[in-house]
Amino acid sequence: MKTFKEYLEANHEIGYIQSIVHSIVYVSGLPGARPRELVVAEGGQRGIVQALLPDLVEVLMLDTHDLRNNLSVARTTESFTIPVSEGILGRVVDPFGSPLDGAGPVIGEKELRSVDPPAPPISSRVKINRSMETGVQIVDLLVPLGYGQRELVIGDKKTGKTIFLLQTIVSQAAKGVVCVYVSIGKRQNDIKAVQQYLWGWSGATVNCVIVAANSAEAASKIWLAPFSGFAIAEYFRDKGRDVLIVFDDLVNHAKFYREISLLSKRTPGRSSYPGDIFNLHASMLERAGQIKTDKGVVSITALPVAESFEGDITGYIQTNLMSITDGHIFFDIERFRSGARPAINHALSVSRVGNQTKTSLDKELAQKLREALARYEKDKAIARFGVDLPEQTKEEIDLGEKIELLLNQDTETLIPRFLSLTIMGLLLGGFWKQKKVSQVKVDLIKLLQKFKEGKFSHLPEKIAAVKTLDELTEVVKTEQERVKEALYE
Amino acid sequence: MDQAQNYEMFLDDLYTKEDLVKLLDDIKIASELSFKTDSTEGKNLPKEFLAKLLELEKKGLFPSTVSQQARFFQELENFIRKQKTVRIVFAFEPSKSFLKRVRDYLSEGKSERIFLDLTVDPEIMGGFVLDNQGVYHDYSLVGELNKAVEDKNFLKSLMVKVK
């Protein structure tokens, strides 16, 4: 980046700070300034032009140190950029791309990427047709995702949203997908916990980057974080790699944007948010998607998070994000309290484009599971009255309980597709029909342990060839003896 | 007669932002005097300013009632605050005649008056640095020297001169 003097000599435009309101400054002069343009103050402080007023330019300062009245400001005729290189993988950086992890400078040949480029045009977009595994069974089976999809993750505080996202990141990073985790206005402790979880997995360190703006930073820096995250994601996408980006969370981002807007005296709208809050998030998330480039078909999958309060998903920002994205995964506080992990309510979750990436087997299985779970919920309500239940209802409740149990998953376990299909194949094939739920739980733990030990290495190939649910149960039946052997001997 | 033309006469012989600030101070004192009957503060007002007020009064253009006078001074103040200023940096303290020449040069071909917001900075060595409503031009000697040094042929030309 050039210095203030160099920009001044090149562009011949100068302004002077007339007033300072936190991170917003009002500058006189700068006759040719344009919205979103980067400006530089005499002390090197950077700012982004937010609005053009009749006599003044409203600038959102990204560096808020040593600002004073009458400080000179120069135009740059550039948009704000951050330096990105391959060396950023495995690092924790701030929204300016500077390292925060104390591991020295980010190495590699740096490319300056604009934080706010236009979204890919319609002509370059490709239908979402590749399935994206999260490693979390309930999502992969019932709310499937595809590469290039924008799926909202919504739920109350402490319902396991972040851990689900981290599992997804680890699962994808192991497949070579670049994962960008953007922490927006969270506590430093939370960022540390995310870093510790991710760096604990071998694939994550080489394919992940954390962009963090903690709650103590200036509002402008926190506001910038998701844009910087996207700039990093686009760098890797343009290199021909699939990217997964997580925004944790955008309700927080909206709150910081509201703070900035109220300071700049913009007319507040619903819940005091500015009128352009929808546009801000929609235009940003529009940068995700699957596109064709000269390097082939590549994608940016975006998983924004929205925190809700007491299970209320009808908040302003939450509903905005729901309408922007291609579906949502709902973390239900009631399910969390009843012990479900992850506490995803599949009935209230939607994946608008994920289903089209699935095979007929996946669709058939999902339908079967959904029906069984719906019947189970209905039967459970009847069973509450303590009436004597018919045999069929008892069977339905038993199956539903077992499905729920099998869909439970701890934070350290990732279940690949073939294993997930095998487990469900065993269940639907009657492997656990005569067993109690508690025994199934023990079996599942053992099964996962054996899988980690590499006991079922022949299964992926076998399962990959299966086309229908009947075929799956048949194939799994032939494996039952081996499974029994692995479990009980 | 347009009231703006009456106000224009107060700007004659003023070239810098400092002059405008001084004029604003005079207007403030004068407007306060309107409400006083036995004040001696009028002595602090410059003769030129009082002469202009007198001239307006002779022409019957200066209001007679206190409230109208207050409005007159308020409008005059607003008029002066709207005047455009150009920031200019010199390496030396310029004379009034020099300032007039610079001002006339800058306002050539323009319908409105321009006032100079003057700064003295010896570090620019000579020439001047101009900021006209945000448009920046460096015509200083330091700027010219910097440009010359950046020029690839500069060292070559120096060597030729040494030879």
Side-chain angles (χ1 to χ4, degrees), chain B residues 36-53:
Chain B
K36 294 177 183 172
T37 50
D38 56 344
S39 172
T40 52
E41 280 180 51
K43 288 176 186 170
N44 295 336
L45 287 170
K47 282 177 189 167
E48 298 83 12
F49 181 72
L50 287 172
K52 279 167 189 166
L53 284 181

Side-chain angles (χ1 to χ4, degrees), chain A residues 8 12-14 16 70, chain B residues 87 131 133-136:
Chain A
L8 192 57
H12 300 289
E13 281 198 33
I14 193 167
Y16 301 91
N70 233 15
Chain B
R87 288 181 190 235
D131 162 19
Q133 308 295 311
V135 180
Y136 177 88

Side-chain angles (χ1 to χ4, degrees), chain A residues 5 8-9 11-16 18 28-31 70, chain B residues 87 130-138 142-143 146-147 150:
Chain A
K5 228 176 165 69
L8 192 57
E9 276 161 18
N11 302 314
H12 300 289
E13 281 198 33
I14 193 167
Y16 301 91
Q18 298 300 309
S28 64
L30 303 178
N70 233 15
Chain B
R87 288 181 190 235
L130 190 74
D131 162 19
N132 186 2
Q133 308 295 311
V135 180
Y136 177 88
H137 291 290
D138 186 356
V142 167
N146 280 339
K147 272 182 220 162
E150 276 166 26

Side-chain angles (χ1 to χ4, degrees), chain B residues 15-161:
Chain B
Y15 308 113
T16 65
K17 195 179 171 186
E18 273 181 14
D19 294 339
L20 291 181
V21 173
K22 174 77 176 59
L23 179 61
L24 285 172
D25 286 345
D26 293 342
I27 292 166
K28 200 178 173 199
I29 295 169
S31 70
E32 281 168 2
L33 280 175
S34 310
F35 297 95
K36 294 177 183 172
T37 50
D38 56 344
S39 172
T40 52
E41 280 180 51
K43 288 176 186 170
N44 295 336
L45 287 170
K47 282 177 189 167
E48 298 83 12
F49 181 72
L50 287 172
K52 279 167 189 166
L53 284 181
L54 204 62
E55 197 183 323
L56 282 177
E57 202 167 13
K58 276 180 190 168
K59 288 178 188 170
L61 296 169
F62 188 67
S64 52
T65 64
V66 172
S67 60
Q68 281 174 332
Q69 281 175 10
R71 207 169 69 204
F72 172 86
F73 285 123
Q74 186 58 52
E75 282 173 5
L76 177 59
E77 189 183 325
N78 292 344
F79 173 77
I80 289 159
R81 286 193 191 281
K82 277 183 198 160
Q83 296 305 310
K84 289 205 168 144
T85 56
V86 169
R87 288 181 190 235
I88 193 160
V89 185
F90 285 115
F92 56 92
E93 187 84 50
S95 66
K96 198 151 187 172
S97 61
F98 182 76
L99 281 178
K100 184 178 181 314
R101 273 169 55 204
V102 173
R103 205 276 297 265
D104 291 346
Y105 173 75
L106 291 174
S107 38
E108 216 172 67
K110 285 180 183 153
S111 57
E112 56 199 354
R113 284 173 195 260
I114 283 174
F115 293 87
L116 304 174
D117 184 358
L118 198 69
T119 312
V120 176
D121 180 7
E123 283 187 16
I124 68 166
M125 291 168 78
F128 61 91
V129 178
L130 190 74
D131 162 19
N132 186 2
Q133 308 295 311
V135 180
Y136 177 88
H137 291 290
D138 186 356
Y139 298 120
S140 69
L141 203 54
V142 167
E144 291 301 316
L145 280 171
N146 280 339
K147 272 182 220 162
V149 170
E150 276 166 26
D151 187 357
K152 283 175 190 166
N153 298 322
F154 175 70
L155 280 176
K156 265 188 197 169
S157 65
L158 268 185
M159 284 162 81
V160 171
K161 278 173 194 169

